[in-house]
Structures are given as structure tokens and as C-alpha cells.
Amino acid sequence: MPALYISEVKYQGGAVLDFIEVAVTTGTDVSNIQVIIYNADGTVRSTNNLGTIVSTLDGKDVYVIDTATSATFNGLHKLGGVALVDNGTVDSFISFGNGSPISATEGPASGMTSNQIGQAGGGRSLETDDDGATYSVQANPNSGTIPCFTPGTFIATPIGERLIEDLVPGDLVITRDHGLQTIRWVGHKVITGARLYASPHIRPIQIKKDTFGTSRPNRDMMVSPQHRIVIDNDIADKTYGSYQVLVPTKSLVNKTTIAETDVTKTTYIHLLFDHHEIIFANGMATESFHPSKTILNDLTQIIQDEIYEIFPELRTRPVQYGPTAIPALSVSEGQHLAQSIWEHGKTTYNAAPQKQTRH
């Protein structure tokens, strides 16, 4: 039988921020599939068709129901629920842990009681990775801006440049300040087409080849908006007291050589070392993952547990991981610096990989 399930639902934050993501086996005729929104009292709030495909991932077509894609959708409610209906038959009827199960009094689910899938709260969402069997809390859409790389990025290692998606814990990477360092943890987060559609601000940013000088980067690359890269510049020294600073990529967007992409899906990849490091991605100096308290709180519990198993001290005091390798600017500070640099025609970045002795 074709797969059909609610793959993600965001139900708090107002109608314009709510969405329901539905996954179905690629090529399935969805003309008879409907998404019925229920009120807490069991009455129908809205009836919605799937519309058009947003993306195709892992053999499944993905559809999104929100105020932009459905003329009938008027949001969800924390005490409400959702029924996924195929040709008049209810495939699933879910509600949230904020209230009690719903006993439907009308519509296709009439006489049925909803299955509670959990509680998201605070603008977060509930998402499944096992075809709707269970759901887990996903962080606020802003969590998609956690600094990270995307597949296709080459990382400098002692045996040459390697694709980041091929790296595993235990592999050695060239760092600018501490020679060869061992990767302690690698994290992967698939960002679905629906999430990118609903939250365009988390789309990866592309930096074109030679944007900051010859071979910097040495090929086009994509990173998350908050991923920070190194700027070596006397304007940074005069303005922020450090010749070398880390700047969020989104601060540098110029819509030509550095621009938001229009991809239908992506995977964000994190590399964690014993300390925050400056590493080389596509020949350009950039940062490794830095697990600050704010960023850890934006990760799913499963990922947090993986990191805590390696660095148990972070569970109570994330600051013990240590500071960033060099001063890090905020988005607004980075925008101010970028404007000054462009105006003065200065865009120098740090030199190529240095010593390769293991510390």
C-alpha cells in the first residue's frame, strides 16, 4: 500500500505560521485525499485538499497545507486536531498533548477519538521519522539557522579534501590553530521541502567561487544562514578590536555572489571537536560547531543526548565547552562590518591551511 501520513505539524504561533506537512508515496493520486481540521469540541474547523507537490524526498511526495497553499485553511489550535482522509476513509486522526483527546462529532472522523502525538509548545513543531508511528519535538524554525554545512562541501584533511558527508567521528581534520584534530561527533539534520517553504529564512546561502579572492572558496558552497566564516580585515580591528572575526554568512548577503538559495530540500551537517576550531571548507576558513546553551536548547532531545554522552559537562554548564576560537560578531555587527568592507573595497580572508601536527 502507498505510504500516507502527516509528517510534520506546527500548530502554535498564529494561523499564518501554522502548517501541516503530508507525505505520500511518489506518484500517488491525491485528488481524493483531504486534511480535516477539528476543533476541541469535535466539530470541523476546515476542510482542505492537498494542492500541489512542494517537493519529493526519499520516494515520497510532500504537500503542505497552510494559509499560502490552501484557501480554506485558517490555522490550527493547541486543543484541536487533524484528520487525514483518503477517499472518505480516515487514515489518521491526531491531536496534541496540550488538551484532551478529541471525540469527533461530525465530518469523516465522526464517532472516532483522536490519538495524541505530543506537545510542541512555543512555536515548535511535531515531526515523525517513522512514517507517523511516533512524533518528536522539532525546534523553533529559527533552529534551522544553527551553524552548519551542507552536503557537497569539501573539508581539508591530512589526506586531502574530503566531502563532509563522508566524514565520521574519529577522522582527522586540519585546523588553523591546533593542527590535526579528531572529529568527536557528526550531526545530520534533514530540512524538508515543507520546512523550507514555510520558513524561507532558514534556506541555505550560497557563496560563489572566488567571492573573497582566488580560491576563496575554491568552488561554490552552501552553508546555513548563521554559519560563521572568518574575516581578516583591518576594519574589523578598528571597529571590534580584533583583526580576525567570525561573521554569520547571512550578514554578508549581497544577492549576487552571496545569496539565499531556492533549493527544495537540504541536509545541515555539524562537525564537533574537543574545542571550537577554525577549519577549511572549500578552501575557506570557517568554524566548526559550537554548542552554546542557546543552540543546544534548539536541538532535538535525541541529538542533545548524543552530544551529552560525549561531553557530559555540557548538560549543566554548556559554557565549559569554551569560547569561540576568535571573536564572533552578531548578525547586525556583521552587516555593519560587511558594509564598511564593501565600501572600502577590502575583502581579505585568512591564509591557507597551516601546520598539520596533531595536538
Side-chain angles (χ1 to χ4, degrees):
M1 272 183 80
L4 174 64
Y5 58 93
I6 295 170
S7 50
E8 186 173 7
V9 57
K10 184 176 185 298
Y11 63 92
Q12 293 206 72
V16 296
L17 298 178
D18 294 347
F19 70 85
I20 302 162
E21 175 187 290
V22 176
V24 60
T25 300
T26 299
T28 299
D29 179 3
V30 300
S31 59
N32 291 318
I33 296 176
Q34 293 180 316
V35 175
I36 314 295
I37 312 302
Y38 276 86
N39 295 310
D41 63 1
T43 58
V44 172
R45 175 169 176 163
S46 70
T47 298
N48 311 272
N49 295 319
L50 290 191
T52 58
I53 297 172
V54 171
S55 63
T56 298
L57 307 170
D58 299 327
K60 299 180 180 67
D61 293 334
V62 178
Y63 297 81
V64 175
I65 304 295
D66 61 13
T67 56
T69 63
S70 174
T72 54
F73 182 77
N74 58 1
L76 296 160
H77 190 277
K78 65 181 180 181
L79 303 181
V82 183
L84 183 59
V85 182
D86 185 3
N87 201 26
T89 300
V90 177
D91 183 84
S92 61
F93 182 28
I94 64 170
S95 58
F96 318 115
N98 307 74
S100 302
I102 298 170
S103 296
T105 59
E106 61 183 32
S110 181
M112 298 179 64
T113 300
S114 65
N115 174 44
Q116 292 189 293
I117 61 171
Q119 181 175 340
R124 300 184 177 222
S125 68
L126 292 168
E127 186 176 42
T128 180
D129 60 6
D130 54 10
D131 295 359
T134 60
Y135 290 80
S136 60
V137 176
Q138 295 301 315
N140 186 296
N142 286 328
S143 69
T145 63
I146 288 174
C148 41
F149 300 96
T150 63
T153 301
F154 286 84
I155 303 298
T157 79
I159 59 173
E161 289 190 317
R162 295 182 60 192
L163 284 168
I164 191 168
E165 59 265 37
D166 293 338
L167 296 176
V168 297
D171 285 343
L172 293 175
V173 168
I174 297 172
T175 71
R176 193 188 65 173
D177 304 313
H178 302 113
L180 302 184
Q181 291 294 309
T182 301
I183 298 174
R184 298 294 303 280
W185 174 80
V186 179
H188 297 79
K189 172 59 180 175
V190 176
I191 306 298
T192 65
R195 179 166 295 181
L196 292 174
Y197 181 90
S199 305
H201 60 281
I202 70 171
R203 291 173 181 164
I205 291 175
Q206 183 184 62
I207 304 174
K208 290 188 176 180
K209 181 179 182 292
D210 300 331
T211 290
F212 302 108
T214 303
S215 295
R216 292 189 176 86
N218 55 28
R219 54 177 68 83
D220 292 353
M221 65 184 291
M222 291 195 301
V223 295
S224 64
Q226 288 282 9
H227 194 95
R228 296 175 294 205
I229 57 179
V230 177
I231 288 183
D232 288 6
N233 194 278
D234 56 2
I235 296 177
D237 191 20
K238 293 175 182 177
T239 307
Y240 298 107
S242 176
Y243 184 74
Q244 300 176 335
V245 291
L246 284 165
V247 177
T249 304
K250 67 184 300 181
S251 298
L252 304 172
V253 169
N254 57 21
K255 298 184 179 180
T256 54
T257 59
I258 307 174
E260 182 183 282
T261 63
D262 192 24
V263 297
T264 57
K265 64 176 180 177
T266 193
T267 299
Y268 284 140
I269 303 175
H270 320 278
L271 298 182
L272 182 64
F273 300 87
D274 282 326
H275 304 283
H276 190 236
E277 300 287 357
I278 302 301
I279 61 178
F280 297 90
N282 288 8
M284 187 170 64
T286 183
E287 68 170 337
S288 66
F289 182 67
H290 187 274
S292 67
K293 182 176 181 180
T294 299
I295 287 177
L296 284 173
N297 288 341
D298 277 343
L299 296 173
T300 65
Q301 190 61 53
I302 292 175
I303 293 177
Q304 287 187 47
D305 289 343
E306 289 179 4
I307 296 175
Y308 290 147
E309 185 174 353
I310 301 171
F311 300 97
E313 66 274 16
L314 298 181
R315 188 178 293 277
T316 54
R317 294 185 62 189
V319 72
Q320 287 190 4
Y321 182 78
T324 55
I326 57 177
L329 303 187
S330 67
V331 172
S332 60
E333 290 172 336
Q335 290 171 334
H336 178 265
L337 177 61
Q339 184 177 2
S340 298
I341 289 175
W342 304 142
E343 289 176 352
H344 289 81
K346 299 178 178 180
T347 54
T348 55
Y349 274 59
N350 68 314
Q354 300 176 11
K355 58 185 179 180
Q356 301 181 15
T357 56
R358 186 174 182 178
H359 285 205

